[in-house]
Amino acid sequence: MSFADNLKQLRKDKQLSQEALAEILDVSRQAVSKWEQGIGYPEVEKLLLLSRKLNVSLDSLMETEISQQSDNHKGRVTGQITITSPHENVITTCYKVGSSGKMRGGKSSPQYFLFGVSNGIPSFWGEPTTFLGWYADKEQITKEISEIQNAIVRGDATYVLQYSAKTERKWTKVKIIE
């Protein structure tokens, strides 16, 4: 499901109107409506607030898989790999990775984030996911996903993220550190 679908479903599951959700996030009802129609995304700070206030992970909220088509695998890479994220101090084993859609934020805010999807017991929100890292732009996250998928196809046991951005967090703001 897309961010728009996930947000709408989450709001309904929590029995919130668009207006009530807008009030929680300190935005207009029209903003929530646009997000649910897939017209745009909230700023990074609002995404973090949404995740915290509604008790849902960013991974499950933003899940939009980026997959590369492969003649042998028809777009779905199988196998497992242990990924290390040096900037986030995370190590996880997964069988595929996904990306958020483009997020809005300031000039120094990350534009995308990467998550790993692991085998496990699916929850109400879907398959288990683990946040792996922030990315400055589409080119960086696309390269990372491609490298990970190639490593899985080769049967590599491990992969260390190469293109993730180092970030600094202050409250709900995330800023890329050069």
Side-chain angles (χ1 to χ4, degrees):
M1 287 197 319
S2 69
F3 166 75
D5 295 331
N6 290 340
L7 178 61
K8 189 173 186 176
Q9 186 63 49
L10 175 64
R11 179 181 60 77
K12 287 182 176 183
D13 291 345
K14 299 286 184 176
Q15 299 179 342
L16 294 170
S17 65
Q18 286 183 343
E19 197 167 289
L21 182 58
E23 192 173 309
I24 290 170
L25 299 174
D26 195 28
V27 297
S28 68
R29 184 203 55 79
Q30 291 83 358
V32 173
S33 176
K34 285 180 182 180
W35 301 339
E36 288 185 357
Q37 292 175 48
I39 295 173
Y41 290 94
E43 294 176 351
V44 173
E45 293 81 15
K46 296 297 181 189
L47 283 171
L48 294 170
L49 182 62
L50 181 64
S51 170
R52 192 175 70 236
K53 292 286 187 184
L54 299 180
N55 197 27
V56 62
S57 74
L58 278 175
D59 300 344
S60 61
L61 182 62
M62 295 297 298
E63 187 170 358
T64 303
E65 291 179 40
I66 295 178
S67 62
Q68 290 185 310
Q69 291 299 320
S70 164
D71 293 337
N72 296 338
H73 297 85
K74 295 185 171 68
R76 183 174 177 113
V77 177
T78 59
Q80 288 197 357
I81 192 164
T82 299
I83 298 175
T84 302
S85 174
H87 298 307
E88 300 299 327
N89 296 319
V90 171
I91 299 174
T92 189
T93 300
C94 54
Y95 74 93
K96 67 180 177 179
V97 292
S99 166
S100 66
K102 184 172 181 176
M103 300 181 296
R104 292 188 335 199
K107 291 180 184 177
S108 61
S109 295
Q111 298 296 304
Y112 297 88
F113 69 83
L114 181 72
F115 58 90
V117 181
S118 58
N119 290 321
I121 300 170
S123 70
F124 176 76
W125 299 109
E127 297 174 291
T129 60
T130 302
F131 173 81
L132 295 171
W134 297 103
Y135 290 81
D137 56 44
K138 188 171 186 169
E139 180 183 341
Q140 297 300 310
I141 197 162
T142 301
K143 283 196 283 188
E144 193 85 82
I145 289 171
S146 177
E147 292 286 332
I148 293 168
Q149 289 176 335
N150 289 336
I152 292 172
V153 169
R154 285 192 308 268
D156 294 354
T158 62
Y159 179 85
V160 177
L161 296 184
Q162 302 172 45
Y163 305 104
S164 64
K166 189 171 184 176
T167 60
E168 176 180 80
R169 292 184 187 95
K170 290 186 180 177
W171 295 96
T172 60
K173 296 184 187 246
V174 180
K175 177 179 150 184
I176 294 177
I177 301 171
E178 297 292 327

